[in-house]
Amino acid sequence: GQLCRAFETMQKELLRNKRDMWRQNEDRRHLNAAFSHELRNPVTVLKGSLTLLAQDPQNPETRRRIEVYTRRIEQYVEAMSSVQQLEQLPVRYRETRVDTLIRELKETVKILSLEQQCDVEGEGWSQVYLDTDLFSHIAENLIGNAARFAKRRIHISLSESRSYLTLTVSDDGPGYPEEILKNGPCPFQRGAEEARHYGMGLYISKILCEKMEGKLYLNNTGIGARASAVFMKLPHAPCLREN
């Protein structure tokens, strides 16, 4: 009886270790996929900015954009090299203005959405505290998805209420697959090709929204798809969170 109990204990421990190893492998797989995916949009912006700089070498706005995105890539590489899971990415709050975020959205969309008609609306001058890098990653993922599937038009809006900021990206494409609307975005979506395209970017956006005490909402509008990223708006400087 003691021998049987010892074998049962060993079996349970081996099973637990195997599950832990599988989970760690999946976390690393997700992290590697997220790392590759998240570098695509900044690289696209840099390539577009270099093209604009070649046309107008004296344009200070293009030079500033190149500096900003180069710094963002450097910071992102450092952060991803030090974490084991996407959920462990540090959140670094900093003070910014809502109209600054709107201006950045307008600049980014010029490069990420070249083939569709795209308009950005929003107004606000309040000071808020949030991680602007994570905000930009979310915005670029949602805009990139919309640009991939939109037929002719993309609409982006940034609105604020007393407690929240809401970034909404709508397009006139085929809409989200039912599997994503039902189960939420997954990092490696199975099924149709469209589902796989949507999966990684939306999954990353969902995780980053939750890290900033927000949430990602997805729905179909009848004429396309709409993604709304809602963030907690902090009016005062919070403690910096590193995990």
Side-chain angles (χ1 to χ4, degrees):
Q2 291 178 351
L3 183 62
C4 289
R5 285 193 293 272
F7 270 109
E8 289 176 358
T9 301
M10 182 179 67
Q11 183 184 31
K12 292 179 181 179
E13 188 67 20
L14 287 174
L15 180 60
R16 186 181 67 82
N17 290 339
K18 189 171 184 179
R19 285 176 175 171
D20 288 343
M21 185 177 299
W22 179 85
R23 179 181 55 79
Q24 291 172 5
N25 289 336
E26 282 296 294
D27 288 341
R28 175 54 59 181
R29 183 173 176 234
H30 294 171
L31 190 66
N32 290 340
F35 182 69
S36 300
H37 185 279
E38 287 297 273
L39 286 180
R40 294 176 185 173
N41 290 328
V43 170
T44 300
V45 172
L46 286 176
K47 290 169 66 176
S49 299
L50 288 173
T51 301
L52 295 176
L53 194 62
Q55 299 171 356
D56 183 7
Q58 303 302 321
N59 189 330
E61 191 60 38
T62 302
R63 296 171 65 91
R64 186 194 67 82
R65 187 185 301 119
I66 291 175
E67 293 175 356
V68 168
Y69 275 85
T70 300
R71 185 173 65 252
R72 274 187 52 194
I73 290 177
E74 180 183 16
Q75 293 173 345
Y76 191 71
V77 169
E78 290 177 355
M80 293 293 279
S81 299
S82 63
V83 302
Q84 298 299 317
Q85 301 178 28
L86 185 61
E87 290 84 352
Q88 293 177 350
L89 274 176
V91 179
R92 297 185 175 92
Y93 290 101
R94 57 177 64 90
E95 184 179 17
T96 187
R97 291 168 57 92
V98 174
D99 58 333
T100 300
L101 298 175
I102 296 172
R103 186 173 65 251
E104 293 290 341
L105 287 172
K106 291 180 178 179
E107 294 177 359
T108 302
V109 78
K110 293 177 183 177
I111 298 176
L112 292 182
S113 177
L114 298 176
E115 299 180 358
Q116 298 90 358
Q117 177 186 355
C118 186
D119 57 281
V120 181
E121 70 172 7
E123 60 181 19
W125 295 270
S126 63
Q127 301 278 4
V128 295
Y129 287 86
L130 77 162
D131 189 314
T132 54
D133 289 335
L134 296 187
F135 174 87
S136 297
H137 283 305
I138 294 169
E140 289 163 8
N141 278 329
L142 299 184
I143 295 170
N145 268 336
R148 184 179 298 118
F149 293 98
K151 297 176 181 177
R152 290 180 298 273
R153 183 178 176 83
I154 299 173
H155 179 74
I156 303 167
S157 67
L158 184 65
S159 59
E160 60 176 324
S161 63
R162 176 174 297 181
S163 303
Y164 296 96
L165 275 176
T166 302
L167 171 66
T168 303
V169 179
S170 305
D171 65 73
D172 59 354
Y176 295 115
E178 285 299 322
E179 185 177 0
I180 289 180
L181 294 177
K182 180 180 179 180
N183 302 321
C186 298
F188 302 102
Q189 196 78 34
R190 298 182 183 274
E193 181 69 18
E194 288 81 1
R196 291 198 295 272
H197 278 310
Y198 276 121
M200 197 68 220
L202 293 181
Y203 172 74
I204 294 171
S205 299
K206 171 179 174 291
I207 296 297
L208 298 185
C209 281
E210 292 171 352
K211 288 184 67 63
M212 291 197 291
E213 302 180 28
K215 192 170 183 179
L216 179 67
Y217 298 93
L218 305 175
N219 66 287
N220 292 330
T221 62
I223 58 173
R226 179 170 58 206
S228 298
V230 181
F231 313 94
M232 179 75 72
K233 187 176 70 171
L234 302 176
H236 306 293
C239 297
L240 297 183
R241 292 193 325 208
E242 292 300 326
N243 53 51

